[in-house]
Amino acid sequence: MNTHFFADTSVLLGRSMRHIFRSVDTIITTAITPIALMLLFVYVFGGAIKTGTENYVNYLLPGIMLIAIASGIAYTAVRLFTDMQSGIFERFQSMPIARSSVLWAHVLTSLVANGLSLVIIVLVALLMGFRTSANVLDWLAIAGILALFTLALTWIAIIAGLSAKSVDGAGGFSYPLIFLPFISSAFVPTETMPGPVRWFAENQPVTSIVNTIQDLFAQRPVGGDIWVALAWCLGILIVSYAFATAAYKRRIA
């Protein structure tokens, strides 16, 4: 790794973050749809949904947070695609900087931007009645899982940004990821689903992540879900990182 990697990445991260803070609507837009879903399900559908919990927003919040992340990473792909189309990407490659720092700056920007969106969502959830008995360690564990999930999906976004032929193509890959929580335990317990749907819901990554965060919020024993969640996140991260770096090497070759 280039000895200037960290310095180069921090400079490029600062550039990306300036763009974010000059256009705060990106963060707000990322948070609006999940918040609207949370309002809809709590105040319209919540009375008809039986989850075994007294406060439906407590049950719902983890899934809403994952939807926000899946929505937010689309902007990473669009920002990377825009850089390549504007010519700044090639200019960076002509400079004496660590080449991988270009990608890592976008990845870290995604972590920060999605983190800010999640803070907004949690604040709104608190206004809606969300309450938790989680302690500091539980919150750190939740933050770690969400950060790992964000990293894993962001590297998928990097692949899309490098491979897309249009802006719509760069961001469009995220739609299946946004809808994945709907076929999981994020909104209703999987026990209420018919056989094939239940099997899919119980064996896809979102369910184990949602179950883990719900247990941490309620200070219940986490059990094996946390290991399944970590395995999914790490597996997706490793595979997507490998494909992203391979696509990047082909791009700059």
Side-chain angles (χ1 to χ4, degrees):
M1 182 180 290
N2 191 304
T3 55
H4 300 293
F5 169 79
F6 294 105
D8 295 340
T9 301
S10 88
V11 170
L12 293 175
L13 173 62
R15 166 187 174 267
S16 295
M17 290 309 304
R18 282 193 293 274
H19 290 171
I20 292 288
F21 290 123
R22 288 171 185 168
S23 181
V24 184
D25 58 302
T26 298
I27 295 172
I28 296 173
T29 302
T30 302
I32 281 177
T33 299
I35 289 172
L37 284 172
M38 188 162 59
L39 291 168
L40 176 66
F41 274 86
V42 170
Y43 294 123
V44 178
F45 302 138
I49 298 175
K50 307 301 180 185
T51 61
T53 58
E54 294 182 3
N55 190 350
Y56 185 50
V57 70
N58 283 14
Y59 183 92
L60 185 66
L61 181 58
I64 294 296
M65 295 167 86
L66 298 191
I67 289 174
I69 293 170
S71 176
I73 60 162
Y75 288 98
T76 301
V78 170
R79 284 191 293 267
L80 179 57
F81 177 80
T82 302
D83 276 355
M84 292 191 298
Q85 293 299 110
S86 67
I88 193 69
F89 190 83
E90 285 74 15
R91 184 175 298 178
F92 287 149
Q93 300 311 311
S94 68
M95 296 179 179
I97 62 175
R99 294 190 172 187
S100 58
S101 63
V102 176
L103 296 187
W104 275 104
H106 282 285
V107 170
L108 295 177
T109 301
S110 174
L111 272 177
V112 175
N114 279 292
L116 293 173
S117 295
L118 293 178
V119 169
I120 295 171
I121 290 169
V122 170
L123 291 175
V124 173
L126 287 169
L127 293 175
M128 294 172 63
F130 169 70
R131 297 296 180 267
T132 176
S133 55
N135 58 33
V136 174
L137 290 178
D138 293 326
W139 275 105
L140 288 175
I142 292 166
I145 292 170
L146 292 173
L148 190 59
F149 183 71
T150 304
L151 273 177
L153 294 194
T154 298
W155 281 106
I156 297 177
I158 294 296
I159 298 171
L162 290 170
S163 308
K165 304 299 182 184
S166 67
V167 173
D168 291 337
F173 80 98
S174 65
Y175 293 123
L177 300 177
I178 292 171
F179 284 106
L180 199 57
F182 289 95
I183 314 175
S184 73
S185 62
F187 293 88
V188 296
T190 56
E191 291 80 6
T192 64
M193 301 176 184
V197 178
R198 176 178 177 177
W199 180 89
F200 176 80
E202 291 179 346
N203 292 279
Q204 58 120 320
V206 169
T207 292
S208 58
I209 297 170
V210 165
N211 291 346
T212 298
I213 296 175
Q214 287 174 344
D215 289 340
L216 288 168
F217 275 146
Q219 277 200 321
R220 295 190 297 261
V222 175
D225 276 324
I226 189 170
W227 303 114
V228 177
L230 291 175
W232 270 113
C233 289
L234 287 172
I236 295 170
L237 173 59
I238 292 168
V239 172
S240 59
Y241 175 78
F243 277 97
T245 51
Y248 182 55
K249 289 177 182 177
R250 288 194 301 270
R251 185 83 188 190
I252 64 178

